[in-house]
């Protein structure tokens, strides 16, 4: 199952309609909490995600709307006796903030956190299937965006394997080696499989336009990106290190993004339809204006092109 669960969509301060920022990505056996703002623990209760489901927490930077939910969420891991270690990533320069948030109040700590700060642009963390990669973004404090990259693979076709009489460990061998010699005849992987394009998810928060934004967004099947402002505030956006809806949409269009999720809206805008209007002028793929407590599917795997 691969989907995004939106916990909150407000930048800076929550509104009556929008909780502080917060997102969960379900990606096979990984359930990753991104940027838990204030109130994230309670927002989780309104979704099908539990604290026990979480395998990893990724924080882009230590502004409050991206991290004030850490104390409650971390304490909840212990309260619920989460049995597995939960990995945590955040900018290494913010280690003091993390230490304070982690131990913001007294609690009986039983959950195990596997803390692995991000200390360099391009840092990679190996997952069971694919890679989590951090890229430096442009914001007044140290900020990293994240992307998940699944390598291209192939899907074995049972009926073809059966036709060649390939079974058991031989299936793994032809998949791994690329061919198999059977009674004097060589069967290639291509004869018994079809290509399976890897999928990509990107999470870009709090940044002015920079190389890191494009590096993360490249060929993303699902891109979650901040669009704090509209064009009318473009100068302000540039000054404070944020994106407009139009900029985010242009990034998506130029990067071959398939499904674009805009979020992290300034509380100055009561009506988010204008974000869709301004983005639509630049991006003609799937466009989602994020709302709290909604779910966005990662689009179905791309169909491999011939040849
Ligand atoms: Zn920020």
């Amino acid at each position: 199952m691969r989907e995004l669960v939106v916990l909150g969509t407000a930048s800076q301060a929550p509104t009556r309609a929008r909780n502080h920022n917060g997102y969960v990505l379900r990606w096979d056996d990984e359930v990753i909490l991104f940027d838990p703002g204030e109130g994230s623990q309670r927002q989780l209760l309104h979704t099908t995600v539990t604290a026990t489901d979480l395998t990893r927490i990724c924080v882009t930077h230590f502004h409050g709307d991206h991290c004030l939910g850490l104390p409650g969420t971390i304490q909840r891991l212990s309260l619920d006796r989460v049995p597995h270690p939960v990995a945590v990533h955040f900018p290494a320069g913010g280690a003091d903030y993390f230490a304070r948030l982690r131990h913001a109040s007294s609690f009986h700590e039983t959950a195990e956190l596997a803390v692995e700060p991000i200390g360099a642009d391009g840092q990679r963390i190996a997952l069971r299937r694919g890679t989590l990669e951090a890229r430096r973004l442009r914001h007044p404090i140290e900020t990293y965006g994240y992307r998940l990259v699944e390598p291209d693979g192939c899907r074995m076709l049972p009926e073809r394997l059966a036709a060649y009489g390939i079974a058991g460990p031989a299936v793994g061998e032809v998949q791994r080696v690329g061919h198999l010699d059977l009674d004097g005849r060589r069967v290639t992987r291509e004869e018994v499989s079809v290509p399976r394009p890897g999928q990509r998810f990107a999470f870009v928060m709090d940044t002015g336009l920079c190389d890191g934004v494009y590096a993360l967004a490249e060929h993303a099947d699902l891109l979650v990106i901040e669009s704090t402002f509209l064009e009318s505030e473009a100068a302000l956006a540039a000054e404070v290190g944020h994106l407009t809806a139009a900029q985010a949409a242009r990034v998506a269009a130029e990067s071959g993004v398939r499904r674009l999720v805009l979020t992290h809206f300034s509380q100055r805008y009561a009506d988010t339809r204008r974000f869709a209007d301004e983005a639509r002028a630049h991006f003609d793929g799937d466009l989602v204006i994020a709302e709290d407590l909604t779910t966005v599917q990662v689009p179905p795997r791309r169909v491999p092109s011939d040849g």
Side-chain angles (χ1 to χ4, degrees):
M1 183 202 267
R2 294 185 175 181
E3 65 180 20
L4 178 82
V5 179
V6 179
L7 303 178
T9 54
S11 73
Q12 199 171 57
T15 69
R16 288 184 179 186
R18 296 183 185 276
N19 197 79
H20 252 177
N21 231 20
Y23 314 84
V24 173
L25 179 73
R26 288 188 197 270
W27 186 273
D28 305 338
D29 54 347
E30 286 277 352
V31 181
I32 307 176
L33 174 64
F34 285 95
D35 278 6
E38 194 177 338
S40 289
Q41 182 187 184
R42 187 155 193 276
Q43 291 297 91
L44 275 177
L45 296 179
H46 293 294
T47 73
T48 57
V49 183
T50 68
T52 305
D53 294 333
L54 299 177
T55 59
R56 197 174 293 275
I57 300 173
C58 294
V59 173
T60 60
H61 67 300
F62 286 99
H63 278 151
D65 49 336
H66 299 260
C67 67
L68 284 176
L70 282 173
T73 307
I74 288 172
Q75 293 188 23
R76 186 61 182 265
L77 297 175
S78 282
L79 187 69
D80 289 359
R81 306 258 166 194
V82 172
H84 52 264
V86 175
V88 187
H89 310 290
F90 52 80
D96 286 350
Y97 292 121
F98 179 74
R100 287 198 289 271
L101 289 161
R102 179 178 184 177
H103 293 119
S105 70
S106 173
F107 68 108
H108 181 54
E109 190 170 13
T110 59
E112 186 190 337
L113 298 185
V115 177
E116 195 177 337
I118 305 296
D121 184 30
Q123 188 168 325
R124 289 184 178 155
I125 293 128
L127 306 182
R128 205 167 63 85
R129 262 210 316 249
T131 307
L132 177 69
E133 183 182 350
R135 296 304 296 252
R136 188 74 190 247
L137 295 174
R138 192 165 66 75
H139 201 49
I141 62 171
E142 187 182 1
T143 302
Y144 291 96
Y146 298 90
R147 69 171 182 165
L148 262 77
V149 178
E150 177 190 39
D152 292 335
C154 61
R155 185 166 63 80
M156 306 307 278
L157 299 169
E159 63 280 14
R160 297 267 187 89
L161 291 166
Y164 286 106
I166 301 172
V171 177
E173 191 183 333
V174 70
Q175 189 165 11
R176 202 173 51 252
V177 179
H179 59 82
L180 186 71
D181 292 321
L182 269 182
D183 306 327
R185 187 201 186 288
R186 174 159 288 192
V187 180
T188 65
R189 182 168 49 209
E190 288 67 33
E191 290 175 273
V192 290
S193 70
V194 288
R196 180 177 180 271
Q199 288 198 309
R200 295 183 180 191
F201 166 82
F203 186 78
V204 177
M205 282 295 136
D206 287 32
T207 184
L209 213 49
C210 63
D211 290 347
V213 174
Y214 287 97
L216 292 165
E218 187 188 19
H219 299 310
D221 294 278
L222 186 67
L223 168 65
V224 179
I225 186 167
E226 69 121 316
S227 65
T228 311
F229 294 111
L230 292 171
E231 275 302 273
S232 45
E233 279 70 46
L236 174 64
E239 189 186 319
V240 293
H242 280 295
L243 296 172
T244 65
Q247 283 177 314
R250 281 198 294 271
V251 167
E254 289 166 21
S255 306
V257 168
R258 297 174 65 209
R259 185 165 291 166
L260 168 65
V261 179
L262 298 184
T263 185
H264 192 272
F265 306 113
S266 164
Q267 70 264 28
R268 77 186 58 217
Y269 310 112
D271 182 0
T272 47
R273 273 176 300 188
R274 291 163 61 199
F275 285 84
D277 294 342
E278 293 196 0
R280 222 0 125 204
H282 305 277
F283 179 72
D284 59 9
D286 287 351
L287 173 65
V288 178
I289 306 300
E291 296 293 340
D292 289 21
L293 305 177
T294 56
T295 298
V296 181
Q297 301 299 317
V298 176
R301 211 173 276 282
R302 273 180 290 115
V303 178
S305 49
D306 294 333

